[in-house]
Amino acid sequence: MTSVISPQATSLNKFEKIKAEKDGLAVKQDLSHFAQIGWEAIDEADRDYRLKWLGVFFRPVTPGEFMMRLRMPSGILTSAQMNVLADIVQRYGDSGNADITTRQNLQLRGIRIEDIPDIFNRMDAVGLTSVQSGMDNVRNITASPVAGLDASELIDVRDLVQQVQDMITGNGKGNPEFTNLPRKFNIAIEGGRDNSVHAEINDIAFVPAYAPSGDLGFNVVVGGFFSAKRCEAAIPMNVWVSPAEVVSLCRAILEVYRDNGLRANRQKSRLMWLIDEWGLDRFRAEVEQQLGRSLAPAAPKDEIDWEKRDHIGVYPQKQPGLNYVGLHVPVGRLFAADMYDLARLAEVYGNGEIRLTVEQNLIIPHVPDSRLDALLQEPLLQKFSIHPAPLSRSLVSCTGSQFCNFALIETKNRATAMIRELESELDLARSVRIHWTGCPNSCGQPQVAEIGLMGTKTRKDGKTVEGVDLYLGGKVGKDAHLGTCVRKGIPCDDLKPVLRELLIQQFGATPKTL
Ligand code: SRM
Ligand code: SF4
C-alpha cells in the first residue's frame, strides 16, 4: 500500500510534498526523455530528488556528473559484475571512479544522464540494481563479509539478506509499497560472533541468539541511527525470531513505520522517534498486530562474544584448503583499472566472487592454498596491501567535499595524507580505528571509532577555516557502544599534533627514533 497523502496538505515538509506529488520510482519511465533533454533541462524535483529512488544522485559539486549508488546485499559481487561497473566508470576518464561505502556497497562517479538507460541495461544483464538506494528508502542491507566462509559463524545469512532486499525492492525492479517511508532506513543481519555489521547503528538489526528451546535464531534490536541532531544506539525490541521469520518481521516493522512514522519534521522522522513517542511496548504490540501473531520474547543473551575483526590478511575458510584474502583499499577508492584487475584476480585465484566490508575494504574468497603465493605476488597487492601500516589499516572516511555538497571539509585526501604523516613519525603496536566524516550527518560513523573526526567550520586567526570535532571512546564488536564528542572546533591545520599526542598518550604510540 502506498500512502495517500494529499500534496496540498500544508503541514507536509518539502520532501513529503515531493513524494506526494509523484512517487520517486515514477522517474523510471522518464529516463529516455531525460537522456534526450540533458541534465540542465530536467525538472529540479525529478533531477535532485526523485532520481535518487533509482540510485542516481545529482551532485551539485560536479553538475552533470551524477553519482550512482548500487545495492550489494551482504557486500557480495561477482567478477562479471565488477567488470561491468569498471566499463561504466572507465568511459568517464578522470571523472570516473567507485567508492566502497560504509554500508558494504559501491557508489560510481562521473555518470552522465544520457548514459543511464544503457547503464541500467548492462547492470540488469548481470543482476545488479541500484533501485531504492537513496532518499526515503531502505539502504543496502549489511551482513558479515565472511558469511558462508567463516568457521565460527552461527548462521549463514546471505540468502536471508537477499530475500529481505527482494521483498523491499520487488526483486530489484522497484516496489512502491516501500518507496514512501518517512525517512531513510537501515537494516543489518549478523550471522557471526563479532558484530561485523555495527548492529547498534541500524534501524533494525538481527544478532544471533539461542532461544531457551535451543533453537538458533536472532534477537532483534531497533532504532539505532545517526543524524545531525541526534545519535542513538539501537535498543532491544525484546523479540527473538527464527531465520524463517526475518523477512516477515522486516516487512511488518517497515509497514508500521511507513504508516505511523512521524513525517512533519525530517529531523524527527527516523524510527527511534516513533519508538520514543509510543514507548517500546506499544511499538512491539503494533508490530505484532501488523504481523497477525505474537512474537517470542528475546533470548536471555545473544552470541556476539568476539572482538570485531577487520578481515585484512589471509585467513583459512571453513571449506578445507580454501582461504579468503582481505585487501586494504585506502579510504575505499577504486578506479577502473583497479576494478578490472580485481575482477581478474577474483577469477584467476578464486571463484570470481568479491566481497566488500563496512570498513571500505574488500575480500577475495575461495583462494586454494596452492594459489595463495601467486596471488600475494600480484602487483595490485602493492596498492591494496594485506599488510597495511597500522593507522591506514583502520582508516575510514566518508566522501567529503570532493563530491558531497553537505560537506564542511575535505575528508578522504586529507585523512590519507595525515595518517601517512603520523605513521612516518610514530611507531604503533596496534591499529587504531580512526573515522573521518565531513559533516554531522555522520556517514563516516565517527561515533563508532576509537578516534572520530567530524567536519565543522571553526575560526583561526580571525578567519573561518575547516576544522573537526573530536570524538573518543567508540567500541565495536561485543559490548559495542558509541563514542562521544570531547573537543570541538580543532582547525584541520592544527590537528596533526593533537592526534600525535593522543596516539602517544592513549594508544601506546612512541615517536620513531630517526
Ligand atoms: Fe550517508 C546523506 C554518503 C552511509 C547518514 N550520505 C548522504 C548523502 C546521500 C548526501 C548527499 O546527497 O550528498 C551522501 C552522498 C555523498 C556522495 O556523493 O558520496 C552520503 N552515506 C554516504 C556514504 C557513501 C559514505 C561513505 O563514504 O561510505 C555511505 C553510503 C552507504 C550506502 O552504501 O548506502 C553513507 N550515511 C551513512 C551512514 C553509515 C551507516 O549507514 O552505517 C549514516 C549514519 C547511519 C544512519 O543513517 O543512521 C549516514 N547520510 C546520513 C544522513 C543523516 C541521516 C539522518 O537521519 O539525518 C544523511 C542526510 C540525510 O539523509 O538527510 C546522509
Ligand atoms: Fe557528505 Fe556529510 Fe555524509 Fe560525509 S558525512 S558523505 S560530508 S553528508
Side-chain angles (χ1 to χ4, degrees), residues 59 101-103 105 107 109 184 226 270 399 443 445:
R59 299 291 74 199
T101 77
T102 51
R103 292 200 71 80
N105 193 8
Q107 291 188 167
R109 295 193 190 277
K184 70 182 290 194
F226 295 159
R270 297 289 295 269
T399 306
C443 306
Q445 314 148 324

Side-chain angles (χ1 to χ4, degrees), residues 1-6 9-20 23 53 136 176-184 254-270 273-274 277:
M1 282 248 309
T2 46
S3 66
V4 279
I5 300 166
S6 152
T10 47
S11 61
L12 295 183
N13 68 52
K14 170 182 163 187
F15 294 94
E16 289 300 325
K17 283 189 180 137
I18 288 173
K19 290 186 290 180
D23 186 72
W53 267 258
D136 298 349
E177 280 183 298
F178 296 117
T179 50
N180 188 357
L181 300 176
R183 205 60 167 88
K184 70 182 290 194
L254 284 169
E255 287 168 343
V256 165
Y257 176 56
R258 178 195 64 197
D259 298 342
N260 302 280
L262 314 180
R263 291 176 185 258
N265 177 352
R266 300 270 299 166
Q267 296 299 336
K268 295 188 173 179
S269 299
R270 297 289 295 269
W273 292 97
L274 179 65
E277 183 164 295

Side-chain angles (χ1 to χ4, degrees), residues 122-399:
R122 287 164 179 239
M123 282 174 26
D124 202 34
V126 290
L128 279 173
T129 183
S130 59
V131 78
Q132 289 167 245
S133 59
M135 286 299 291
D136 298 349
N137 286 289
V138 180
R139 298 289 183 273
N140 194 45
I141 302 168
T142 55
S144 166
V146 291
L149 313 174
D150 176 10
S152 68
E153 168 178 81
L154 295 153
I155 307 172
D156 178 354
V157 298
R158 289 173 296 171
D159 279 354
L160 278 179
V161 170
Q162 185 69 52
Q163 284 172 40
V164 175
Q165 169 167 311
D166 289 345
M167 179 268 291
I168 291 165
T169 65
N171 300 316
K173 303 290 178 211
N175 178 3
E177 280 183 298
F178 296 117
T179 50
N180 188 357
L181 300 176
R183 205 60 167 88
K184 70 182 290 194
F185 201 93
N186 291 326
I187 301 178
I189 309 180
E190 174 65 67
R193 292 191 171 276
D194 71 340
N195 186 14
S196 61
V197 296
H198 300 307
E200 65 283 5
I201 64 171
N202 283 267
D203 296 274
I204 312 176
F206 295 85
V207 292
Y210 287 99
S213 62
D215 290 346
L216 184 54
F218 302 95
N219 276 350
V220 183
V221 295
V222 284
F225 79 112
F226 295 159
S227 73
K229 289 271 177 286
R230 181 180 174 198
C231 294
E232 290 292 341
I235 55 172
M237 191 182 165
N238 188 23
V239 167
W240 179 92
V241 283
S242 69
E245 296 170 292
V246 166
V247 179
S248 58
L249 181 61
C250 285
R251 171 176 271 282
I253 293 176
L254 284 169
E255 287 168 343
V256 165
Y257 176 56
R258 178 195 64 197
D259 298 342
N260 302 280
L262 314 180
R263 291 176 185 258
N265 177 352
R266 300 270 299 166
Q267 296 299 336
K268 295 188 173 179
S269 299
R270 297 289 295 269
L271 180 66
M272 188 61 108
W273 292 97
L274 179 65
I275 297 173
D276 283 349
E277 183 164 295
W278 278 357
L280 191 66
D281 289 345
R282 174 167 172 205
F283 173 71
R284 194 181 180 287
E286 297 274 354
V287 171
E288 284 183 326
Q289 196 183 340
Q290 190 69 27
L291 261 177
R293 61 184 169 77
S294 59
L295 288 157
K301 72 174 192 63
D302 64 43
E303 297 300 315
I304 301 294
D305 51 9
W306 282 24
E307 294 303 333
K308 191 170 190 309
R309 298 163 293 174
D310 67 9
H311 305 295
I312 293 172
V314 178
Y315 301 90
Q317 290 179 199
K318 70 178 174 193
Q319 296 84 2
L322 294 180
N323 307 275
Y324 65 87
V325 180
L327 310 186
H328 173 250
V329 181
V331 289
R333 178 135 308 161
L334 302 169
F335 294 92
D338 305 323
M339 296 161 78
Y340 286 124
D341 220 10
L342 284 166
R344 180 184 64 81
L345 297 188
E347 267 168 30
V348 171
Y349 298 100
N351 69 353
E353 196 173 284
I354 298 165
R355 307 238 181 149
L356 309 174
T357 74
V358 296
E359 287 83 21
Q360 302 174 319
N361 295 311
L362 55 82
I363 294 171
I364 298 182
H366 304 295
V367 182
D369 294 341
S370 60
R371 305 288 287 140
L372 262 180
D373 283 350
L375 170 59
L376 302 184
Q377 297 307 313
E378 284 279 351
L380 191 67
L381 273 77
Q382 300 293 315
K383 182 174 182 186
F384 298 156
S385 173
I386 62 162
H387 300 299
L391 295 179
S392 301
R393 181 176 184 123
S394 310
L395 182 63
V396 169
S397 172
C398 84
T399 306

Side-chain angles (χ1 to χ4, degrees), residues 398-400 404 406-407 437-439 441-444:
C398 84
T399 306
C404 179
F406 286 123
T437 209
C439 79
N441 283 329
S442 299
C443 306

